[in-house]
Structures are given as C-alpha cells and as structure tokens.
Amino acid sequence: MSDGNVVEKLCCASCGIEEVDDIKLKECADCDLVRYCSDGCQREHKSQHEEACKKRAAELRDELLFRQPDSSHRGDCPICCLPMPLDRSKSTIMTCCSIVICDGCEHANQMREIEGKLQQTCPFCRKPTPSTVEEGDKQRMKRVEANDPVSMRNEGVDHYDKGDYSSAFECFTKSAELGDAEAHHSLALLYHKGHGVGKDEGKEMYHLKEAAIGGHPKARSNLAWHELKNDNIERAVKHLIVAATLGCDLSIKALMSMFKEGDVKKEVLAAALRAHQAAVDATKSPQREAAEQYRRT
C-alpha cells in the first residue's frame, strides 16, 4: 500500500476528519481503500469512490478466488487426519453423526470389531450402527433437522434423484448458507440446467466461484471451461493449476492438452504434475490400500 493510501485511511475519505480519541473510522464494506467516520459521509462520497471501489473489490475477489486452498472441499479424515480422496466412493458418511470417514479407517474399524467379536459402532462417535434402513433414515433425518450441512446436502441429492428439484434447491441453499462447498457446486448445476429454478448464468458463476474458493476442484474445472470459452486462457490456466494441486485428474489432463496446443509452458506443466502427484500421494495409506484390496475381493 502506498504512503498516500495510508494517509487516506487515517482520515475520513469524505470530510477528512482524523481517527483520534472517540472518533472511529470504518472501512468501506466492499474494498480496503478508504474509511469513513459515518454513514452520511460514506453516502456523500459514494459517487467519487464508486468506480475505484468496484475495481478494487474485483481485485480482492480475484485474490480470494485464485488463492490456493489448504485442502480440497473434502478436508481430512477426522480419524487418521489424512486428506480425503476426491473419489467419494472411497469414503463413508455415518448417519449417526454425519461425519465422513475414509474407507481405510472404516475398514480398520470393521476388522477390529470382527476380530474382537464386538458390537458394530460408528468409528467416530461410537454409537451403535443402525440395524435397519429405517433406523438409519431416522438418524439421517435427525441430522437434517439439526441443520447439519452435510446431511442437508445429501437430503438435497435424494430429492434431486427423485426429480423433486424444488426441494433439492431448498436443501442445497440451506447447506450452502452453512458453508458447504459441495452444495454451492450443486446449486451451480441447478442454475445451469434450469432444474427447480430458472437458468441463470450469473448465479451459476457465483456458486461455482464459492465452491472453488471452498476447495472444490470440479468447480475449478468448470470455471476454467467458462474462461476458455471467453478466450481468457491465462485465467483458465490459473484455475486448472489450483485444481491440479488439489489432486484433480481432469485438470491435469486439461493442462496437458493445453501444453500440446502451446498455451501452457513446459515448466508450468511440470510444476503442476509434481503438485498433483504430491496431493494424490498424500491421500494414500496402508489402511486405505487394505480397504481397496478388500473391496476388490
């Protein structure tokens, strides 16, 4: 930040009063360029600040959008603390607590119970495993009623699969409001297809970006496709690199294709390949390999 900007932020951008004693300045809600002593000053200064504000707000949004997430939207397994595989078939959601467990920990728990002739319980909360589908449904609905975002989103998936798009939209919206990146991605698909809502590319893009910020690699790939469609190759490559670093195979394949077309430099592709492999390797463990082998037999 320049010295001029620092000085501007020490006083009200409208009336020029300094922040001293009981005079407190508040930052513009959309950017970090100016501060005001009152709502009145902010309204008076709006016409002068609006253009710069919009430009800076867009810059801040891009900084957030292209920031590399610490992990994918799937996070870590709460038991082994290793990153979750992007493949959802390699994990299990527990109906009792809505916690997602990797197959390695689920399999290890099952083997422990079989060998010890123990009662089957949830690997996380240790509640007894439901003995019937009906009991499991009751547990799931209890989590939905408690506004659990994961259960709410899965309830939306059930409604969607049954063709009840309006109920699916309602569930996805509630889950997204609670911060679920997968729900944002589902909402983007609804707006794209016009299922349960009117087609709206603006809202589709908003939810794709929210999902991407939350670490959703597929949302990143979709954003990259939109950027390529608009000939924004540099932005598309940025999205694909972020997704590849999270372990997304689709993004790596896209980067390789763009490399062949001359749109991606060799060193950029090489770095992305290394980051992708590191992300994939981080999801591996002997327990997960044992679960995979057991599933194949």
Side-chain angles (χ1 to χ4, degrees), residues 166-183:
S166 295
S167 295
F169 175 77
E170 184 179 342
C171 289
F172 290 148
T173 299
K174 289 180 180 178
S175 181
E177 289 172 351
L178 293 168
D180 189 84
E182 186 72 56

Side-chain angles (χ1 to χ4, degrees), residues 21 49 83 107 117 131 152 170 190 211 229-230 275 283 292:
D21 299 329
H49 176 58
H107 176 68
K117 297 180 180 179
S131 55
M152 191 75 69
E170 184 179 342
L190 291 183
K229 188 172 67 172
N230 294 317
T283 66
E292 182 72 21

Side-chain angles (χ1 to χ4, degrees), residues 32 41 64 74 85 152 163 167 171 217-218 222 230 234 241 276:
D32 59 357
C41 275
L64 179 62
R74 306 216 66 220
M152 191 75 69
S167 295
C171 289
K218 193 171 182 179
N222 290 342
N230 294 317
E234 184 178 350
I241 290 173
H276 172 267

Side-chain angles (χ1 to χ4, degrees), residues 145-165:
E145 291 165 3
N147 286 330
D148 181 274
V150 176
S151 294
M152 191 75 69
R153 182 233 305 155
N154 286 338
E155 183 72 5
V157 172
D158 287 343
H159 285 304
Y160 186 88
D161 291 342
K162 294 173 183 175
D164 185 357
Y165 301 135

